[in-house]
Amino acid sequence: MAEMTMLSMAVMAANKKSRSFSEAAAGRKDLYLTEGPAEEADVIYLPDYSSLDFRQVRELLTVGKHILFGTMGAADAGSLNALAQTAAEHGAVLLDHIHLAFNPCMASLKTALTCLGPIRRIRLHSCEYAFCCKGVRISPVRPPACVPPGGALFQRGADCLYPLVHLFGIPEQLDIQMIFTENGMDAAGTVKGTLGSAQVEIVYSKISGSHVPSLIEGERGSLLIRDLRNLKEVTYKNRSGAKKPLVSFSDEACRARELDRCMAFIKGKCSWHRQLASSIQTLQMMDEIRGHRNLSAEYTASSHVPYASVI
């Protein structure tokens, strides 16, 4: 792909991350923000897959628009694969989970894992109160039917599942518990499993808040992640309890670094197909949690397939 000197970018939806993302774009010499229709921009930023429907996103990719999703870019693995194929056929770039995949803390976190020795427990939390829930019911083993997108699994669980899959892969022996509202939407859940000799626990919720940090525990120490949803800080704690801050970034610095990485893919300096590998695998795991297929038979520690071979 030929490198372009100046691209226009449309930022859709106004939230804290999109505003700081816009501010990062405004300070670049290779981008300018446009307030016109998204169809007229070269690059389009969308907070998540619900910002536009599947058909609209595919139409934008068909005419060569580059799409950046802040978090999840599709409701299931098949849909993301279909969008990726469309992008590849029309010279467009499709990236998702950019606020986690390209967050500067993520690279530091991956490097810091070597300080822990053998990893024994992974506990990732994303709990943020969003609505009052009456008449909840608990599904202790499996959801009773296919869980629709849009609930806590998608809006909170993905905060935990993406870094888990990106850093370690898909766990085995999943044990799933969900809390549902009266209308069948999932409001909270817990997913447990194993990764080799490590125990995995994912806790997510839209009906309760929590300030408990996420933890990756090894024989020589632990990594504390204060807020996966707004990843800005990672702390190392050794076996004696002494703490050492490893990395800390402002919101502005995170968005600027994330945009740097996005532009490298758009300019053809890196292969965006490979970047989607973790996203595809995360959605495969979410499909299993939602009751789509038998994960234990299909995805094992040795069966992770590079994204390039999927398409």
Side-chain angles (χ1 to χ4, degrees):
M1 183 185 302
E3 183 170 332
M4 301 179 186
T5 57
M6 195 74 167
L7 296 174
S8 60
M9 185 170 79
V11 176
M12 299 186 62
N15 56 37
K16 185 176 180 181
K17 284 185 178 177
S18 66
R19 285 192 291 269
S20 57
F21 201 70
S22 296
E23 291 169 0
R28 297 183 65 95
K29 296 181 179 179
D30 54 359
L31 272 180
Y32 68 92
L33 293 172
T34 175
E35 296 182 358
E39 295 82 359
E40 297 179 2
D42 301 307
V43 184
I44 302 163
Y45 167 88
L46 303 168
D48 59 32
Y49 74 96
S50 66
S51 306
L52 293 175
D53 65 33
F54 176 84
R55 177 187 55 81
Q56 291 172 307
V57 174
R58 187 163 58 182
E59 288 178 354
L60 289 170
L61 292 170
T62 300
V63 294
K65 305 301 181 182
H66 308 303
I67 304 293
L68 313 178
F69 283 104
T71 56
M72 192 176 304
D76 56 68
S79 296
L80 187 58
N81 257 323
L83 291 177
Q85 290 172 351
T86 301
E89 290 168 1
H90 295 89
V93 170
L94 173 67
L95 300 171
D96 83 342
H97 274 108
I98 63 172
H99 296 315
L100 277 174
F102 302 150
N103 188 295
C105 292
M106 187 62 75
S108 301
L109 185 60
K110 191 169 187 176
T111 301
L113 293 176
T114 58
C115 303
L116 304 183
I119 294 173
R120 300 306 185 199
R121 187 184 296 272
I122 302 164
R123 296 187 287 179
L124 305 179
H125 297 194
S126 181
C127 302
E128 186 175 336
Y129 179 83
F131 58 83
C132 178
C133 188
K134 296 181 180 180
V136 298
R137 57 191 174 88
I138 297 177
S139 173
V141 178
R142 274 240 180 265
C146 181
V147 178
L153 176 62
F154 276 73
Q155 297 185 6
R156 298 291 182 268
D159 299 333
C160 305
L161 296 180
Y162 183 86
L164 173 70
V165 172
H166 182 71
L167 294 172
F168 302 103
I170 300 176
E172 299 175 306
Q173 301 177 0
L174 292 185
D175 177 34
I176 302 158
Q177 185 177 72
M178 287 186 174
I179 296 176
F180 292 86
T181 63
E182 290 178 324
N183 64 5
M185 185 64 71
D186 64 307
T190 302
V191 180
K192 296 181 180 180
T194 60
L195 276 165
S197 60
Q199 294 178 304
V200 176
E201 182 181 49
I202 302 294
V203 179
Y204 59 92
S205 176
K206 291 182 69 176
I207 55 173
S208 64
S210 174
H211 299 289
V212 176
S214 295
L215 290 168
I216 302 173
E217 304 171 17
E219 291 187 358
R220 296 203 298 264
S222 302
L223 293 176
L224 284 71
I225 308 164
R226 190 178 64 178
D227 184 358
L228 270 176
R229 189 168 180 79
N230 299 288
L231 182 58
K232 294 185 292 185
E233 182 180 309
V234 179
T235 301
Y236 172 72
K237 187 175 182 180
N238 65 22
R239 283 182 296 192
S240 64
K243 294 183 180 180
K244 176 184 178 182
L246 291 182
V247 64
S248 179
F249 291 91
S250 65
D251 286 327
E252 294 76 15
C254 287
R255 302 296 87 79
R257 291 281 292 274
E258 291 157 11
L259 186 53
D260 279 343
R261 291 291 308 280
C262 289
M263 292 304 295
F265 284 101
I266 289 171
K267 294 177 180 180
K269 297 179 180 179
C270 312
S271 171
W272 61 268
H273 306 85
R274 291 283 181 181
Q275 188 277 327
L276 281 185
S278 294
S279 300
I280 293 290
Q281 291 176 353
T282 298
L283 282 168
Q284 288 170 342
M285 183 176 175
M286 292 183 75
D287 286 348
E288 159 59 11
I289 293 170
R290 295 164 65 201
H292 279 188
R293 55 174 67 92
N294 183 356
L295 184 76
S296 61
E298 190 169 355
Y299 306 110
T300 66
S302 62
S303 67
H304 296 159
V305 181
Y307 177 75
S309 66
V310 174
I311 64 168

